[in-house]
Amino acid sequence: MKLRKIIYLIVFSVVVTIIYSCADKFDLNDINTGDDDVNIEGDTVYVQIKPVWEGYNNPRDVMVGREPFIYVADTDNDRIVVLNLDGQILGTRSIKKPIALAQDYRLNLFVCAQFDTVINSQTQTYNAVYKLDLAAVTHQIEIAPIKRILPRLSDFAQPQREYTGVCVFYDNSYLISRKGPNNTNIIDPDNSVLIFVQKRLSDGTTTDSLVGRVSLLDPTGSGTMSANQISSLTSYNSRNYNLTLTLTGENSFKVQPLEFINSPDFTGYRIAIEANSADLMIPGKFLNPEGSALDNSGNIFIADAGKDSIYKFNSFGDELESFGVFGNDKFNQPNGVAFFNKTLYVADTGNNRILRFILSTEL
């Protein structure tokens, strides 16, 4: 018997024992036991939950909402899919080419997508950011009121601009990442992070107000504090404005955790983990990171589509566990990752499916 198989059997028997002792949490029938469904690295086992969620076409993002429901950006099916935690589809909404999702604390759903419009008798496609009011219709996404936040009228002169991510903070302010080829204008480069706040109107309602862009981010920078082709934004579930961004441009540090500082001397973002100080910040560590997620302990998960891999780091940037990087063909260009209640959700984009894993360290 191969050594790998022996190790697998030993470790898996331990996992089965733990699962039996936690029978109120997991059904053993929902755990795959095939060798290809378990990834071993160090003392950590990634056990895939079955069934695989299929029926998607190039899904680019997966998110766990605050309800909690599961949201999938089913990109080439031009729809958003809402599921419960068991994978039952609760509803869908037709939106052209959705690629990124976020949710605020009022349960509004943000979607980075596209729309078509007619300009000078020609149909033109633009990237857009939508906001759906799910609470207004008890989460019936098919009929949820929808508002287009971007592009603004002035953006129609920049059809190559793309909106790639949204992250929301505790006060419902939020950031939107944008990328594009035109970055010579120091006032309004394509590669930017836009800041939106909630502005209260005289009638007591609130509206989304664009107040500027995050400063000190170099639109084409190859080092830290860069906005060079941002592919995702992730905020923390804390009363702060910290975030993690991923980049796909020419940059040595394609995952960058940022810390928001508010002091008499400086107000704004700075890099939270210095270059070369931890595994996360090793030059060239990532190839094409497209998504990130955080758990309640501040651990960072990265979906690297270029390396067909998922990485996990602690809040200091030390690599804890990763899989897909050991020659396993589990993933094909994973673009999205989410974490909730000891379960890891992966948008396995190239394989047109959503995968779920229990991490043995979380059992």
Side-chain angles (χ1 to χ4, degrees):
M1 183 178 292
K2 294 182 179 179
L3 178 61
R4 180 174 182 270
K5 184 71 72 174
I6 294 172
I7 295 173
Y8 159 72
L9 290 174
I10 294 172
V11 176
F12 187 75
S13 64
V14 174
V15 174
V16 169
T17 301
I18 295 172
I19 291 173
Y20 270 124
S21 67
C22 302
D24 59 324
K25 295 182 179 180
F26 300 110
D27 182 348
L28 189 60
N29 293 324
D30 290 336
I31 306 297
N32 278 334
T33 58
D35 186 49
D36 291 339
D37 297 309
V38 177
N39 294 267
I40 301 173
E41 171 62 9
D43 60 355
T44 299
V45 179
Y46 297 81
V47 184
Q48 184 178 330
I49 306 173
K50 65 177 184 180
V52 171
W53 294 351
E54 298 180 307
Y56 299 97
N57 189 0
N58 193 35
R60 293 281 300 276
D61 200 11
V62 59
M63 182 198 75
V64 182
R66 306 184 193 282
E67 304 89 353
F69 292 142
I70 311 297
Y71 295 85
V72 177
D74 192 8
T75 305
D76 286 353
N77 280 330
D78 295 322
R79 63 175 185 165
I80 303 297
V81 181
V82 185
L83 309 96
N84 62 20
L85 295 178
D86 293 327
Q88 178 185 3
I89 294 179
L90 304 178
T92 64
R93 179 65 174 261
S94 295
I95 295 180
K96 183 175 182 178
K97 302 298 182 187
I99 63 167
L101 305 167
Q103 191 183 60
D104 67 13
Y105 289 85
R106 296 189 178 103
L107 305 184
N108 294 300
L109 181 68
F110 293 87
V111 182
C112 296
Q114 295 180 359
F115 76 102
D116 294 328
T117 189
V118 177
I119 299 178
N120 297 325
S121 301
Q122 298 291 324
T123 299
Q124 178 71 56
T125 298
Y126 286 92
N127 281 262
V129 179
Y130 293 100
K131 182 178 180 180
L132 285 75
D133 186 354
L134 297 176
V137 291
T138 61
H139 279 72
Q140 298 177 74
I141 193 171
E142 299 91 343
I143 59 173
I146 187 167
K147 171 185 176 183
R148 196 179 73 217
I149 297 170
L150 291 169
R152 300 163 299 169
L153 185 61
S154 60
D155 295 319
F156 279 74
Q158 307 289 343
Q160 292 181 294
R161 284 181 169 174
E162 299 179 43
Y163 304 103
T164 60
V166 183
C167 70
V168 181
F169 300 111
Y170 69 95
D171 58 359
N172 289 315
S173 63
Y174 57 93
L175 304 179
I176 296 176
S177 56
R178 186 179 73 187
K179 69 178 184 179
N182 300 318
N183 292 290
T184 57
N185 185 336
I186 62 173
I187 302 300
D188 192 31
D190 283 351
N191 291 343
S192 298
V193 177
L194 307 179
I195 306 169
F196 285 80
V197 299
Q198 299 297 298
K199 182 179 180 181
R200 186 168 295 278
L201 303 178
S202 58
D203 62 0
T205 61
T206 59
T207 187
D208 302 275
S209 179
L210 174 61
V211 297
R213 63 187 186 92
V214 174
S215 61
L216 303 180
L217 292 181
D218 187 341
T220 57
S222 59
T224 59
M225 295 299 294
S226 173
N228 194 345
Q229 304 289 298
I230 295 176
S231 54
S232 74
L233 299 173
T234 303
S235 55
Y236 292 69
N237 290 323
S238 304
R239 295 183 67 83
N240 60 45
Y241 299 101
N242 299 343
L243 72 142
T244 295
L245 57 85
T246 60
L247 305 153
T248 58
E250 293 297 324
N251 192 290
S252 298
F253 307 99
K254 293 191 174 185
V255 175
Q256 300 191 12
L258 303 183
E259 179 183 20
F260 186 81
I261 303 297
N262 187 4
S263 71
D265 299 323
F266 174 74
T267 297
Y269 282 100
R270 69 180 183 187
I271 196 72
I273 303 175
E274 294 296 331
N276 298 295
S277 66
D279 300 321
L280 182 71
M281 300 301 292
I282 295 174
K285 175 71 174 178
F286 305 99
L287 184 59
N288 189 30
E290 289 284 354
S292 65
L294 297 156
D295 64 18
N296 291 335
S297 299
N299 296 314
I300 304 168
F301 296 87
I302 303 296
D304 191 333
K307 291 190 174 181
D308 296 332
S309 301
I310 303 297
Y311 294 85
K312 181 183 178 183
F313 304 86
N314 65 19
S315 59
F316 301 103
D318 304 315
E319 188 168 356
L320 300 178
E321 307 98 21
S322 302
F323 63 113
V325 293
F326 312 112
N328 192 306
D329 60 355
K330 174 67 66 182
F331 304 115
N332 183 1
Q333 300 180 1
N335 271 237
V337 61
F339 188 89
F340 176 74
N341 194 24
K342 304 177 183 179
T343 302
L344 186 70
Y345 299 82
V346 178
D348 189 19
T349 306
N351 286 322
N352 299 316
R353 60 188 185 176
I354 304 299
L355 299 179
R356 298 170 294 155
F357 298 88
I358 296 172
L359 282 67
S360 66
T361 54
E362 300 292 345
L363 289 173

